Amino acid sequence: MKISFNWLHEYIETTCTVQEVSDILTAIGLEVESTEKIESIPGGLKGVVVGEILECIKHPDADKLSLTKVKVGTDEPLQIVCGAPNVAAGQKVLVATIGTVLHPSGGEPLTIKKGKIRGQESHGMICAEDELGLGTSHAGIMVLESTAAVGMPAAEFLNITEDYCIEIGLTPNRTDAFSHYGVARDLAAALRNMEGIKNEAAKLTKPSVSNFKADSSSAGIKVEVRDTEACPRYCGITIDGIKVGPSPKWLQERLTVIGLRPINNIVDITNYVQHEIGQPLHAFDAATIEGKTIVVRLANANEKFTTLDGIERTLNEQDLVICDTKKPLCIAGVFGGLNSGVKENTTSVFLESACFNPVSVRKSSKRHALKTDASFRFERGADIHSTLYALQHAALMITEMAGGNVASDVTDIYPSPSQPFSVSYDWKKTSSLIGKNIEKDKVKSILRDLEIEIVSETDEALQLAVPLYRSDVQREADVVEEVLRIYGFNNVEVPARLHSSLSYAPKQDVEKLQSRIADILSSIGFHEMMNMSLTRSKYLELTGDDDMQKESAVEILNPLSSDLGIMRQTLLYSGLEAVALNQNHRSADIKAYEFGKAFFKRANGYSEEKRLALFLSGNRNPESWNNSTDEVSFSDLKGAFEKIVKALGINNFSYTSSSSNQLNDGLECYAGKTLLAKLGSISLELLKEFDIKQRVLYAEVRWDNIMKALPKEPIQYKEPEKYPAVRRDLSLLLDKAVKYADIERTALETERKLLRGVNLFDVYEGKNMDAGKKSYAISFTLQDASKTMNDQQVDIVMGRIQKALEEKLGASLRV
């Protein structure tokens, strides 16, 4: 949201600079994302002054140039060469002095320098309108009235203003701050109460409507509200005898600073009040209202309506519309109609100020893809108590700037008045939450400045009435947060001593385990990514994925866009989108992981499953002169997965071969009958769908199943072995059908006590090898926990292992 610094000063008196205001707003939760200096004339005409031409003679060497002496308030007049045909002695003009940067209309910035023109020195420039950026005329220099004071800055003479646009990143719950007055209220509360800043009186002033007077003798436009749930309050008034025209300069500047385009005085006033106090308004041309009656109702199915942008739209029967007796005039809280708005010849308007149901407005806005300042506020909840005040305030401004008179009494349909939120504030409990005892008078001052009423007070607690515009403050903890943010979060000191106690949890802390695994993955070069849970509906038909089934898809009833129509059933596709994005940004070496949920529709309801996705692509190591450029392999993916499960104490897992339309040469990992993960290489067909031009390895870990497979018994620890291990190598000749896993299993079954490890470190097939044979070079690690092994013991054990391999696998020593 954009706030004008000058506009803010209309409601609060403060000497703070824009930077100080920005810092305070950020400290109280209204985070300032940027500040931009806005000048009504680019450059602010700095260096341009009022001058008087004392002398004007013809240039000795140029017929079309004049040589002038110009008084600008300095000790000596300036000699300036001028080519304007209307330059003459005695004129008051605008002079750009040496060093001035001008911003001509439609041109590049120009710096005024001392120079020579046809042999004569020139110490400045007498300016035309377009050269100053004040207009487009270049017929001659600007000649000012004779009363202009010589030496006066042009910015002062022309009343050039400068302002700052403060951009605030508001969270959706802060509906109270969607206006200049709302921001001023928070700022004033902080200036009066925050510890550690220069406290000011910071008087807060709200525009008065005490002069509002309605003509109760005229009925005006009648109003009928047929759906009070979608429209709990509707106010309206008729204003006759207006003259539509441009807004005053000050009003246009206010709107321009915050990025709005001035249109006419009536529309500009409704926009001004909306950004001033947060209440959207709408003005109808009263002459277009058939039957002199406004009807607030739900649209008819397939009813046609042309909006202000000239597009004919088909209304839904859930759309709330503002109508007359024959036709829709406006989609309530969203967008006005093409033919009912204020025009140049409008002489009478019906001014609307209403409160609409946030859900109704949000659905209509998304249904018709219309996002407006009004819908933005109504979707988040406008203040129902401000509707009448905003109407009266805007009516006063219209009669002041557009003439006319209030020609009817105010219509205010409010069948079920809302009451403030009742909240108790317990002194002891809140001090415990804050971690500090804040003086009671300070707390009460903060509450009053936030317009939270103290209904009653005891030694133990306060009973409060919270205004409805603070829809996010309905609990005691919410009020505590309000007090703390105005008092200052940084003003709660960290105690010198912290007290804690040891606790024992009989169950595993799932969040801590996830953090532990994330740390492990990050330590081996993986980067965490986070993708949306919403995904494209087209993925249901993409590759026949077992995980992506249309019948189990959770569809979004009111999707944000056509690309985000369902909840994801796998982390694969959103991850591939990220891989493609990185590849397109020249970051092709990818090691990434994501914790996320998959969503399913079942026969008995909806379910969520926690998943962990791993992605590997590109080179194993960063490009460098001393690094190899080996591509990542399936072993890298499998190693990373096994690092995870082993870190969690899961050792009884096994693999089975698997393949699908998504994964080639895949494996499925099981603990008993429980599926732990699927691993493999993404198929070329799927990579082509995402325009990925390199191999991608992928593992999707069923995190919920991992949690179920955690060992029930606590992990057992033992001391490191005291005695050294011994290594022996064997070069074995085997049939090609024999797998390394068979060798490992046979060796471990033969020697259970002393054999600590088996490792394959070389494989050979080819030249000088018998047909159907291959050679494995395998190391065996032996260790005795009670003593150092001698050669005799090692030879006996290796003899048994070699014999078992010969008998069971047909192995023979290769010589």
Side-chain angles (χ1 to χ4, degrees):
M1 187 189 69
K2 294 181 178 180
I3 292 292
S4 159
F5 187 59
N6 290 350
W7 193 347
L8 206 60
H9 277 81
E10 293 188 10
Y11 316 109
I12 181 173
E13 297 176 3
T14 176
T15 59
C16 290
T17 64
V18 66
Q19 186 58 54
E20 289 171 333
V21 167
S22 299
D23 292 342
I24 293 170
L25 291 177
T26 299
I28 60 177
L30 306 180
E31 182 180 0
V32 174
E33 296 178 339
S34 65
T35 58
E36 179 186 1
K37 190 174 184 179
I38 306 292
E39 296 168 319
S40 55
I41 298 298
L45 299 185
K46 291 180 177 63
V48 180
V49 298
V50 175
E52 182 180 5
I53 302 177
L54 301 177
E55 179 184 320
C56 179
I57 61 174
K58 193 174 181 181
H59 192 291
D61 297 318
D63 293 339
K64 294 184 179 181
L65 298 179
S66 300
L67 194 61
T68 67
K69 296 284 186 181
V70 185
K71 181 181 179 181
V72 293
T74 56
D75 294 338
E76 297 292 332
L78 303 178
Q79 176 174 292
I80 299 176
V81 177
C82 181
N86 63 331
V87 64
Q91 291 175 336
K92 296 288 182 68
V93 293
L94 291 178
V95 180
T97 56
I98 301 299
T100 299
V101 178
L102 296 180
H103 296 262
S105 301
E108 296 296 322
L110 171 67
T111 301
I112 304 301
K113 300 177 181 179
K114 177 183 175 180
K116 278 189 177 183
I117 302 176
R118 293 292 183 93
Q120 298 294 324
E121 288 188 356
S122 184
H123 297 266
M125 185 169 78
I126 304 174
C127 300
E129 181 182 282
D130 65 331
E131 292 167 335
L132 295 170
L134 296 172
T136 58
S137 174
H138 194 68
I141 59 171
M142 286 183 67
V143 180
L144 311 179
E145 58 265 29
S146 59
T147 56
V150 174
M152 176 184 287
E156 183 180 342
F157 177 78
L158 296 172
N159 195 25
I160 302 299
T161 60
E162 67 177 34
D163 197 353
Y164 287 89
C165 178
I166 303 173
E167 182 116 22
I168 299 176
L170 282 178
T171 51
N173 65 304
R174 291 303 308 276
T175 56
D176 62 299
F178 285 129
S179 65
H180 282 73
Y181 181 78
V183 172
R185 177 174 49 221
D186 264 18
L187 179 60
L191 287 172
R192 286 197 287 260
N193 298 286
M194 182 175 283
E195 296 290 317
I197 65 171
K198 55 177 185 181
N199 294 115
E200 298 180 350
K203 182 182 178 182
L204 186 67
T205 304
K206 191 172 185 178
S208 173
V209 295
S210 59
N211 292 331
F212 176 82
K213 185 178 180 181
D215 183 359
S216 58
S217 63
S218 175
I221 304 294
K222 297 179 181 178
V223 178
E224 178 186 345
V225 179
R226 297 180 183 174
D227 192 328
T228 56
E229 182 179 350
C231 178
R233 188 175 190 181
Y234 192 96
C235 300
I237 200 168
T238 304
I239 305 174
D240 289 342
I242 65 167
K243 184 176 181 180
V244 177
S247 300
K249 181 183 176 183
W250 68 266
L251 178 54
Q252 293 188 37
E253 288 177 350
R254 289 284 184 267
L255 298 178
T256 301
V257 167
I258 61 173
L260 297 181
R261 179 176 61 87
I263 298 173
N264 59 54
N265 47 7
I266 306 301
V267 175
D268 291 351
I269 287 169
T270 61
N271 284 331
Y272 179 87
V273 173
Q274 175 178 262
H275 286 270
E276 179 184 38
I277 60 176
Q279 172 61 38
L281 303 170
H282 192 75
F284 299 92
D285 186 339
T288 65
I289 301 176
E290 298 284 350
K292 298 300 179 183
T293 303
I294 288 289
V295 180
V296 184
R297 63 170 173 85
L298 293 176
N300 300 318
N302 300 319
E303 190 170 6
K304 302 298 182 182
F305 175 60
T306 303
T307 47
L308 273 172
D309 54 6
I311 299 174
E312 184 181 72
R313 302 178 188 275
T314 301
L315 299 177
N316 184 282
E317 53 192 2
Q318 292 183 348
D319 290 330
L320 186 71
V321 289
I322 313 298
C323 308
D324 57 22
T325 54
K326 292 185 178 180
K327 62 185 181 301
L329 304 174
C330 177
I331 301 176
V334 181
F335 215 36
L338 179 63
N339 300 316
S340 62
V342 175
K343 297 174 281 292
E344 290 183 2
N345 60 352
T346 298
T347 58
S348 178
V349 295
F350 176 75
L351 187 62
E352 166 196 282
S353 178
C355 185
F356 300 112
N357 183 285
V359 175
S360 173
V361 173
R362 182 165 56 250
K363 288 185 176 180
S364 292
S365 174
K366 290 181 179 178
R367 191 178 293 120
H368 299 290
L370 290 170
K371 289 291 182 183
T372 61
D373 283 343
S375 68
F376 179 82
R377 285 161 174 78
F378 281 127
E379 286 176 25
R380 288 155 180 79
D383 179 15
I384 197 168
H385 280 177
S386 293
T387 51
L388 181 58
Y389 168 80
L391 182 77
Q392 294 171 338
H393 182 34
L396 284 172
M397 292 183 69
I398 289 174
T399 56
E400 178 185 343
M401 299 179 196
N405 62 288
V406 178
S408 72
D409 201 358
V410 174
T411 298
D412 186 5
I413 300 176
Y414 193 16
S416 302
S418 302
Q419 300 301 318
F421 306 114
S422 180
V423 180
S424 179
Y425 187 94
D426 183 279
W427 292 112
K428 288 184 178 179
K429 186 175 180 181
T430 53
S431 295
S432 175
L433 283 173
I434 293 174
K436 180 178 182 178
N437 289 317
I438 302 176
E439 299 87 347
K440 291 185 178 181
D441 288 343
K442 174 72 77 175
V443 171
K444 288 187 283 186
S445 174
I446 291 172
L447 294 174
R448 281 192 292 265
D449 287 343
L450 293 176
E451 299 182 6
I452 297 175
E453 181 185 355
I454 301 174
V455 178
S456 62
E457 178 181 358
T458 66
D459 291 338
E460 290 78 28
L462 299 174
Q463 193 61 37
L464 307 174
V466 180
L468 293 175
Y469 62 75
R470 288 311 307 268
S471 57
D472 62 324
V473 181
Q474 300 185 29
R475 306 170 302 164
E476 185 177 49
D478 299 329
V479 179
V480 173
E481 181 183 3
E482 290 301 294
V483 171
L484 184 53
R485 72 181 182 86
I486 298 300
Y487 179 78
F489 291 101
N490 292 335
N491 293 318
V492 178
E493 301 85 0
V494 177
R497 179 179 297 178
L498 295 175
H499 300 277
S500 64
S501 60
L502 297 175
S503 60
Y504 169 73
K507 294 184 178 179
Q508 293 277 16
D509 188 325
V510 177
E511 296 299 326
K512 283 186 178 180
L513 289 177
Q514 179 175 322
S515 296
R516 181 182 171 196
I517 297 305
D519 289 343
I520 291 173
L521 289 170
S522 297
S523 71
I524 59 175
F526 280 77
H527 293 86
E528 185 171 11
M529 61 180 177
M530 298 177 68
N531 292 301
M532 292 183 64
S533 296
L534 298 172
T535 192
R536 292 176 169 81
S537 304
K538 73 174 187 179
Y539 292 153
L540 290 171
E541 312 295 337
L542 193 57
T543 55
D545 188 350
D546 293 339
D547 282 336
M548 293 287 284
Q549 299 294 331
K550 191 168 186 178
E551 57 272 14
S552 61
V554 180
E555 298 182 0
I556 306 301
L557 296 178
N558 201 14
L560 295 171
S561 71
S562 57
D563 284 341
L564 303 172
I566 62 170
M567 304 295 286
R568 64 183 178 184
Q569 295 172 290
T570 174
L571 277 58
L572 172 61
Y573 300 122
S574 56
L576 288 177
E577 290 174 354
V579 171
L581 180 65
N582 277 274
Q583 172 194 271
N584 294 337
H585 284 75
R586 305 284 184 175
S587 181
D589 299 337
I590 297 165
K591 295 177 75 174
Y593 70 94
E594 178 184 10
F595 284 97
K597 287 185 177 181
F599 303 84
F600 303 91
K601 181 171 65 177
R602 309 296 189 192
N604 57 347
Y606 295 94
S607 67
E608 301 177 4
E609 294 181 10
K610 190 70 172 285
R611 304 279 177 90
L612 166 61
L614 304 178
F615 288 88
L616 285 173
S617 187
N619 293 327
R620 179 179 291 113
N621 299 312
E623 185 178 18
S624 175
W625 67 273
N626 63 346
N627 277 345
S628 64
T629 56
D630 295 340
E631 187 180 4
V632 290
S633 67
F634 184 78
S635 297
D636 296 314
L637 179 70
K638 184 168 174 281
F641 167 70
E642 291 186 358
K643 202 172 192 71
I644 293 170
V645 292
K646 289 179 179 178
L648 294 172
I650 303 172
N651 295 304
N652 59 332
F653 58 88
S654 60
Y655 295 100
T656 61
S657 298
S658 171
S659 63
S660 67
N661 292 329
Q662 290 75 41
L663 297 180
N664 294 334
D665 304 322
L667 292 177
E668 291 184 354
C669 180
Y670 288 87
K673 295 183 178 181
T674 302
L675 175 64
L676 299 185
K678 293 182 179 180
L679 305 87
S681 177
I682 302 296
S683 67
L684 293 177
E685 293 79 5
L686 189 54
L687 293 178
K688 187 177 180 181
E689 291 285 349
F690 288 85
D691 195 25
I692 297 174
K693 300 177 176 60
Q694 60 190 36
R695 186 186 186 203
V696 179
L697 298 164
Y698 173 68
E700 184 150 311
V701 181
R702 306 300 175 93
W703 187 255
D704 292 335
N705 290 349
I706 290 281
M707 293 298 99
K708 294 175 184 176
L710 292 176
K712 306 300 180 185
E713 299 297 326
I715 297 174
Q716 301 293 320
Y717 298 90
K718 64 178 183 179
E719 293 182 9
E721 300 289 354
K722 295 180 180 180
Y723 301 99
V726 178
R727 167 174 165 162
R728 288 289 188 270
D729 297 342
L730 292 179
S731 181
L732 300 175
L733 193 63
L734 302 117
D735 292 334
K736 284 188 176 182
V738 177
K739 298 178 180 179
Y740 165 70
D742 299 330
I743 298 172
E744 184 180 34
R745 184 180 60 256
T746 301
L748 292 172
E749 288 176 351
T750 302
E751 179 54 58
R752 300 177 182 273
K753 182 179 179 183
L754 300 177
L755 184 59
R756 294 288 185 264
V758 182
N759 180 53
L760 174 66
F761 63 88
D762 189 31
V763 179
Y764 178 75
E765 295 180 74
K767 190 177 180 180
N768 299 325
M769 187 69 62
D770 294 339
K773 296 289 185 177
K774 61 183 175 182
S775 173
Y776 279 170
I778 301 174
S779 66
F780 299 86
T781 302
L782 306 173
Q783 189 174 33
D784 192 330
S786 60
K787 60 183 178 181
T788 299
M789 297 184 68
N790 55 39
D791 289 341
Q792 185 178 0
Q793 288 177 296
V794 173
D795 290 341
I796 293 172
V797 172
M798 290 303 300
R800 289 202 304 269
I801 292 174
Q802 182 180 336
K803 183 178 180 182
L805 293 174
E806 292 172 350
E807 293 177 351
K808 295 182 179 180
L809 303 178
S812 61
L813 290 180
R814 184 183 176 202
V815 294

